[in-house]
Amino acid sequence: MARTDDDTWDLASGVGMTATFGAATRAVATNTGLINDPFAERLVRAAGVHYFTQMIENERYADDGANSVTTGLIAVLGAHTRFLDDYLADAGRAGIRQVVLLASGLDTRPYRLWWPPGTTVYEIDQPAVIDFKTDVLRGLGAEPAVNRRAVGVDLRHDWLAALVRVGFDAAAPTAWIAESLLVGFLTPDGQERLLRDVTAASAPGSRFAADHISAWDPLQLEASRGFVDRWRQFGLDIDLTGLVYQGDYSDVPTYLADHGWQPVERKVAEVFAAVGMADRWRGGRHDDAIVPGYVTATRSGMPRAEER
Ligand code: SAM
């Protein structure tokens, strides 16, 4: 069943659950030394999704046998997280002091990464997700290592105005991250509006990084059904395919190239290689077809008049 707009946003079911899954993959990736997110496991426990806490405690729950779709997905998401951590560090070295994490979910980059002095990190997600994360981290006594501005707003609405209200400066170069968002969580029109707004708010020197798919093709739907079936065996009954829209999306790198960005495309194996972990990607051509594409882009030109 494809997604409709009667969303549920809590952390244990519906779209918010995908944020909990993201945190669970970071907890596992932390345990295997791929990344370091000391808060991920605590957030998953606080969200109270039993299967995800089991997944962290005992890899048996993540391992779906011969197909290894869940273990593979955890490795892929972990490698991309690490890639983006490095990407942001590089943006900082290049002098960028403004960062926007679109659909940040339960990611804790403002707390777990080192940031150059003077950096502001804006996080955007649904209010329920932002509030939950902020409360749990406060309860743990965690302090952001950066000027953090968290904005609870629906990305299908005027999120840019909300960002500006809390200090975002469109005249300053920005590093944007859209991690596990451009994979069906917005409608095709909504996704294009988001890219248009990002472009309009990107001063020369801005950077953008995302994973993306053009459509949920039958292979991807079959793979996601595979691990959702596996989850169901362990008591987590979620229709993941019902949480994404299944339309045809504009190709993200092409959109960026057409709107003043210089995109670089990568396949998943290149993402693993870029973080020095080529040996952890064990997929073949079939797997290439079901994982997203990866794009980074730099903006050198001024926004075109119609984008302002
Ligand atoms: N980037 C995080 C990560 O990698 O763990 C979260 C990814 S999770 C798969 C997708 C996220 O998109 C969720 O946190 C969800 O709340 C958020 N999301 C989906 N649709 C959204 C919308 N219309 N407005 C704001 N956030 C949205």
Side-chain angles (χ1 to χ4, degrees):
M1 193 183 72
R3 181 169 158 194
T4 59
D5 271 346
D6 51 351
D7 308 324
T8 54
W9 289 100
D10 63 289
L11 277 295
S13 69
V15 184
M17 187 283 302
T18 65
T20 310
F21 178 58
T25 67
R26 279 186 293 279
V28 175
T30 296
N31 291 342
T32 57
L34 198 57
I35 62 162
N36 181 22
D37 185 346
F39 307 108
E41 179 169 349
R42 304 295 292 269
L43 286 159
V44 175
R45 288 188 187 284
V49 184
H50 187 55
Y51 169 70
F52 290 152
T53 49
Q54 284 176 311
M55 200 171 98
I56 300 168
E57 282 166 6
N58 184 340
E59 63 185 27
R60 181 169 77 84
Y61 292 99
D63 185 2
D64 33 18
N67 289 332
S68 288
V69 180
T70 307
T71 24
L73 185 62
I74 289 169
V76 166
L77 293 174
H80 192 222
T81 298
R82 172 70 187 279
F83 177 84
L84 295 176
D85 289 355
D86 294 351
Y87 186 76
L88 288 171
D90 197 50
R93 280 192 291 276
I96 295 182
R97 296 290 179 265
Q98 183 165 258
V99 172
V100 180
L101 308 175
L102 298 159
S104 56
L106 299 185
D107 171 77
T108 60
R109 288 194 173 97
Y111 298 81
R112 68 182 172 82
L113 296 182
W114 181 86
W115 298 93
T119 304
T120 301
V121 177
Y122 297 89
E123 295 195 82
I124 299 184
D125 208 293
Q126 277 293 313
V129 175
I130 292 287
D131 291 349
F132 171 83
K133 174 167 67 176
T134 306
D135 288 351
V136 172
L137 291 174
R138 188 181 298 125
L140 293 173
E143 295 281 344
V146 70
N147 183 22
R148 172 183 183 244
R149 297 265 180 271
V151 186
V153 64
D154 194 311
L155 284 164
R156 294 167 297 187
H157 302 152
D158 195 356
W159 57 271
L160 190 50
L163 207 57
V164 169
R165 274 199 294 280
V166 294
F168 174 82
D169 177 8
T174 302
W176 304 87
I177 298 288
E179 185 178 19
S180 300
L181 172 69
L182 309 184
V183 290
F185 287 108
L186 301 171
T187 60
D189 282 355
Q191 182 165 307
E192 198 150 329
R193 269 198 307 280
L194 179 101
L195 292 173
R196 187 199 60 202
D197 290 346
V198 164
T199 300
S202 290
S206 294
R207 300 179 181 199
F208 178 85
D211 46 344
H212 61 94
I213 60 171
S214 298
W216 275 79
D217 71 28
L219 277 179
Q220 284 164 321
L221 288 171
E222 187 190 315
S224 67
R225 267 186 224 110
F227 65 79
V228 166
D229 284 349
R230 178 71 179 168
W231 293 2
R232 197 167 288 133
Q233 288 170 25
F234 288 111
L236 181 64
D237 193 0
I238 290 204
D239 175 13
L240 197 64
T241 56
L243 299 180
V244 290
Y245 296 99
Q246 286 171 29
D248 287 327
Y249 291 82
S250 303
D251 180 58
V252 174
T254 305
Y255 180 95
L256 294 171
D258 287 347
H259 292 82
W261 296 86
Q262 292 74 50
V264 175
E265 294 185 63
R266 286 182 186 79
K267 290 193 166 156
V268 63
E270 294 168 290
V271 171
F272 276 84
V275 297
M277 296 177 178
D279 56 325
R280 294 216 196 187
W281 170 244
R282 302 209 177 84
R285 255 191 317 154
H286 173 79
D287 301 278
D288 263 342
I290 60 172
V291 291
Y294 298 88
V295 64
T296 56
T298 307
R299 184 158 174 86
S300 56
M302 287 298 289
R304 292 192 313 219
E306 72 268 24
E307 292 166 358
R308 279 182 223 135

